[in-house]
Amino acid sequence: MGLREYIIRRLILLIPVALGVVILIFSLLQLVPPERRVLLYLSGNPRELNPEIIKAYIHMYGLDQPVWTQFAIWLDQLIHGNLGYSEYFQELVLQGLLKRAPATLEIVLYAAPIIILVGIWAGVNAAVRRDKPFDHASRVLSVLGTSLPSFFFGILLSAIFIATLKWTGPGRLTFRIESEISSLARTGQWYTYTNLMTLDCLLNGRFDFFLDALKHLVLPVTVLVLINTATLVRVARSSMLESLSKTYIIAAKAKGLSQKEVVYKHARRNALIPVVTLAGLIVGGMMTGLVITETVFLFPGLGNWAATAAQHFDIPVVAAYAMFSAIVFVLANLIVDILYAYIDPRIRLG
Amino acid sequence: MKLPERLEPTIKEIKFILKRFKDSPLSIAGILIVLAFVVIAVFAPLLAPPQVYNPYLIPSDPELGYKIEPSPPSPKHPFGTTRLQLDVYYGCIWGTRWAFQIALEVIIIVVIIGVALGVISGYYGGIIDEIIMRFTDIILAFPGLILSMCLVAVLTRSGWLTIDAVLLSIIIIGWPGYTRLIRGEVLRVKTEDYIEAARASGASDLRIMFRHILPNTIYSLIIVASLDFGGIVLTAAALSFLGLGAPAGFADWGRLIYDSMQFVAGGLKWWWVYTYPGVFIVLFVLGWSLLGDALRDVLDPLYRRK
């Protein structure tokens, strides 16, 4: 089977899972009374929601119809990108999602490379220096990373670095700079290119703003890195240990290659193949970690949005975020599988 | 007294396990931590005598008034007090008992579901297997905490008690893992000769499942469940931290940390409100994960003889 057929087959298998996710959320939403469920169908600000109007909406969106019809109507809405209206945030759910996605993406873009590089580096080195101090230290850190709850770690960091030392603050920017940016934007001296704050600051040529935005990213990124690197270190270490004990390593050593060449060219390349599969797991860990981290540091991203919505029982937002994260998670796993098949032909040929 | 001969392998096994435990300081640490928590949970009524009918409600100290601001640790309140003068020490002690209660309830139910569905799925295969596995796929498509957050929000919205909603949501995200584990084990064991022999001697399906297959899957179940124990408490604490768990004034570590959020702005001035419950959670999770690793080292044939 070629790589192309493999990808096509995996993409087709994606459809039932996506449908399953949607059905699960839909069944869950059936627990909510129809008077509240109408919010999931609204495509604009309702302004006024009195019982009369709600009744009209219930009829209009077919909430008095059989379940199958309701599901069909809802699915149709989803496909057309209507995720409903958020009563708490007073905006359309889709708008809210798009508005907050860049902040989250920014954290992820900083955290992900650090997690991958540090995780692989520490895992490989721990294996090479097995039972030496480096190995023990990395094991202690990885045990700590798995047992330290992100919310507690986040609170400690903010108590020390935000409240006591005042090195940085909550949110994406210092308030003063945020208002300066909005007044600059009003006069047309500030252009929003990407909504990624650090990048926008650089593109607008404001290095002082860039530093401020970067400082606000340090703590959330630190929390995400510590929590998510642990598993990666463990897997990279054991995979590297296995790879180092293979006969081709002995052969390479016997040929008289230097230790460096043996470790980095022969052992590491093969050891990294199973590590790739972890990427999916890390994406899942990030999605969860972001909810907590953004809440601790009041970072205005998707995780904070979903957590706030859940606290106020704003069901349309919570449902949309759950579906969104499931789709991202599944897609990440799909990409990982494809990459895996690409790197290691045994997978698709076997 | 001479022991019957057939007990000899068992005794040898126990000796082996004890030796393995003794050789590894981390295993001993894990066991000691978990034991300490068990002692705290069992003796909670002595360590922190309840003052009202429901022992999980943290008492507040009227002598300190009903001011919002926490009071520092003192002989009367060794861990200080938090919001509205609720005793942090009391919360941590009864929080231990609460953590065990959550984890045990969830583990027991999840294991029952996992064993039942996993055995059916692996043993019969075919369309039943397909249906059960597609269900697990769907649940596992969500990052756990996010699905459980969604479940708690919806269930609470439709009139459930938050505590019940939290338990149910953790069960819902937990069962697929166990079902898959047991199914895999059943598939592994199913083709062994002794199963064939049992079938040939006329044993019923139920007898084969419960007498021959299940006992052979029990070790991996114990390992996974003990590794999961801390994780369940961590999920519950995370939900509480998001304001979706135990109500105000309840002896729940996550809730104590949620309440302490408003005092983080004071920096280290009120350090005790979040540090003590935080340390309890960290040690609890650490203890169980070390214990799980230790159990895996002695029970899992892959790790055993290394």
Side-chain angles (χ1 to χ4, degrees):
Chain A
M1 184 168 49
L3 191 61
R4 228 179 75 148
E5 282 109 284
Y6 179 81
I7 294 176
I8 291 170
R9 208 181 54 153
R10 287 301 314 259
L11 279 174
I12 292 170
L13 280 175
L14 199 65
I15 297 167
V17 175
L19 203 61
V21 164
V22 174
I23 291 175
L24 179 75
I25 295 293
F26 178 77
S27 337
L28 194 62
L29 292 172
Q30 293 303 108
L31 290 170
V32 181
E35 292 78 36
R36 309 278 327 154
R37 240 186 306 146
V38 285
L39 290 170
L40 285 153
Y41 296 85
L42 299 179
S43 53
N45 189 340
R47 282 175 231 292
E48 203 182 350
L49 274 180
N50 61 43
E52 288 285 304
I53 295 176
I54 289 179
K55 224 175 199 170
Y57 275 133
I58 289 180
H59 187 70
M60 186 175 149
Y61 295 116
L63 289 175
D64 46 4
Q65 305 269 319
V67 178
W68 296 112
T69 325
Q70 285 188 38
F71 180 68
I73 295 172
W74 190 57
L75 199 60
D76 183 59
Q77 297 246 6
L78 283 186
I79 290 168
H80 289 94
N82 181 15
L83 295 168
Y85 177 78
S86 156
E87 211 180 10
Y88 181 76
F89 292 104
Q90 307 265 319
E91 66 190 0
L92 282 179
V93 174
L94 187 67
Q95 276 174 6
L97 191 125
L98 294 175
K99 196 164 86 188
R100 289 169 184 83
T104 297
L105 184 66
E106 194 168 20
I107 297 193
V108 171
L109 285 179
Y110 280 93
I114 302 179
I115 292 170
I116 294 166
L117 291 179
V118 171
I120 291 175
W121 171 80
V124 166
N125 276 296
V128 174
R129 291 170 214 166
R130 192 183 184 178
D131 292 329
K132 297 270 162 56
F134 185 90
D135 188 20
H136 293 305
S138 85
R139 204 175 314 166
V140 169
L141 268 179
S142 84
V143 168
L144 205 66
T146 39
S147 8
L148 195 64
S150 44
F151 51 88
F152 180 48
F153 186 45
I155 282 180
L156 286 182
L157 288 185
S158 53
I160 296 169
F161 294 103
I162 295 181
T164 309
L165 298 173
K166 305 211 186 320
W167 281 3
T168 166
R172 272 183 113 176
L173 286 169
T174 308
F175 183 69
R176 183 182 57 80
I177 291 178
E178 206 170 344
S179 43
E180 205 172 317
I181 287 180
S182 50
S183 63
L184 282 175
R186 262 196 302 276
T187 54
Q189 288 164 292
W190 178 273
Y191 188 73
T192 309
Y193 295 94
T194 57
N195 270 319
L196 301 174
M197 200 54 80
T198 43
L199 197 59
D200 277 356
C201 292
L202 282 182
L203 290 175
N204 280 295
R206 292 300 299 256
F207 197 70
D208 49 338
F209 289 4
F210 166 76
L211 276 184
D212 187 65
L214 199 62
K215 263 197 332 210
H216 280 80
L217 279 166
V218 171
L219 296 184
V221 167
T222 309
V223 172
L224 276 185
V225 167
L226 186 83
I227 303 299
N228 287 296
T229 314
T231 344
L232 188 59
V233 175
R234 271 191 171 189
V235 174
R237 177 179 178 273
S238 63
S239 170
M240 186 69 185
L241 279 179
E242 201 191 314
S243 177
L244 280 171
S245 66
K246 288 270 164 67
T247 40
Y248 56 76
I249 296 298
I250 302 173
K253 277 185 190 158
K255 267 198 314 194
L257 294 182
S258 70
Q259 169 78 0
K260 215 174 166 181
E261 255 176 316
V262 172
V263 168
Y264 294 112
K265 279 208 174 145
H266 294 247
R268 191 172 66 178
R269 277 197 189 171
N270 284 294
L272 290 188
I273 294 175
V275 174
V276 171
T277 50
L278 270 183
L281 203 73
I282 291 175
V283 169
M286 290 262 245
M287 305 284 294
T288 310
L290 281 165
V291 172
I292 306 276
T293 316
E294 290 183 358
T295 307
V296 175
F297 296 108
L298 304 175
F299 203 84
L302 291 174
N304 188 359
W305 177 58
T308 314
Q311 277 168 24
H312 295 93
F313 307 112
D314 192 341
I315 304 299
V317 170
V318 178
Y321 186 67
M323 286 188 289
F324 172 76
S325 56
I327 301 293
V328 171
F329 194 27
V330 169
L331 279 180
N333 277 315
L334 175 80
I335 293 169
V336 165
D337 282 353
I338 292 172
L339 267 181
Y340 198 39
Y342 175 72
I343 302 172
D344 191 346
R346 278 170 297 186
I347 306 295
R348 60 194 140 104
L349 300 175
Chain B
M1 196 185 82
K2 192 162 165 23
L3 287 160
E5 211 163 89
R6 64 186 195 91
L7 273 181
E8 249 170 44
T10 320
I11 291 167
K12 214 176 141 196
E13 174 70 19
I14 291 171
K15 274 187 185 155
F16 170 77
I17 290 176
L18 288 179
K19 192 183 161 334
R20 281 307 289 260
F21 274 153
K22 229 170 47 195
D23 289 347
S24 149
L26 281 181
S27 304
I28 296 178
I31 293 167
L32 287 181
I33 294 173
V34 170
L35 270 181
F37 276 112
V38 171
V39 169
I40 293 176
V42 170
F43 293 106
L46 295 175
L47 291 166
Q51 293 170 11
V52 284
Y53 176 68
N54 182 352
Y56 288 117
L57 292 179
I58 306 175
S60 71
D61 190 345
E63 279 173 35
L64 293 167
Y66 288 97
K67 61 178 176 150
I68 299 282
E69 210 171 278
S71 311
S74 62
K76 197 175 166 201
H77 303 287
F79 294 173
T81 65
T82 180
R83 199 181 58 94
L84 299 172
Q85 308 316 312
L86 299 178
D87 188 28
V88 177
Y89 169 77
Y90 189 95
C92 288
I93 298 292
W94 282 87
T96 308
R97 201 172 169 123
W98 180 241
F100 272 100
Q101 197 174 327
I102 296 176
L104 280 175
E105 276 177 34
V106 171
I107 288 270
I108 289 171
I109 297 174
V110 162
V111 164
I112 292 173
I113 299 176
V115 165
L117 292 181
V119 168
I120 292 171
S121 195
Y123 190 78
Y124 291 112
I127 184 82
I128 304 176
D129 180 35
E130 197 62 33
I131 292 172
I132 294 175
M133 283 305 108
R134 292 298 80 79
F135 264 107
T136 61
D137 277 350
I138 292 167
I139 305 270
L140 292 172
F142 292 89
L145 183 70
I146 290 165
L147 180 58
S148 100
M149 191 173 92
C150 180
L151 282 162
V152 175
V154 171
L155 289 173
T156 319
R157 190 53 162 171
S158 51
W160 281 55
L161 277 178
T162 17
I163 295 174
D164 296 338
V166 166
L167 283 178
L168 183 70
S169 78
I170 302 179
I171 290 168
I172 289 178
I173 62 170
W175 71 268
Y178 286 84
T179 305
R180 288 208 167 173
L181 171 82
I182 296 293
R183 175 181 176 269
E185 290 288 296
V186 171
L187 287 179
R188 180 179 64 83
V189 175
K190 204 168 83 169
T191 51
E192 301 274 343
D193 288 341
Y194 58 83
I195 303 294
E196 206 55 42
R199 192 169 295 133
S201 60
S204 68
D205 279 357
L206 268 180
R207 191 181 161 81
I208 293 177
M209 282 186 217
F210 285 97
R211 296 283 309 191
H212 300 279
I213 293 182
L214 213 51
N216 283 298
T217 63
I218 208 82
Y219 285 152
S220 30
L221 198 61
I222 291 175
I223 295 165
V224 171
S226 61
L227 282 170
D228 209 18
F229 212 91
I232 290 169
V233 171
L234 204 54
T235 308
L239 287 172
S240 291
F241 169 76
L242 293 172
L244 290 169
F250 201 86
D252 174 279
W253 297 331
R255 178 73 209 197
L256 282 172
I257 293 191
Y258 174 74
D259 285 340
S260 74
M261 273 288 274
Q262 54 181 306
F263 303 118
V264 173
L268 299 171
K269 188 176 159 202
W270 291 303
W271 58 273
W272 60 90
V273 292
Y274 42 82
T275 307
Y276 285 114
V279 167
F280 267 71
I281 299 181
V282 172
L283 286 177
F284 191 87
V285 177
L286 181 70
W288 278 100
S289 99
L290 290 177
L291 180 70
D293 280 346
L295 287 174
R296 192 180 53 197
D297 285 347
V298 295
L299 297 177
D300 191 331
L302 268 179
Y303 290 82
R304 229 182 123 107
R305 303 289 168 190
K306 270 185 193 165

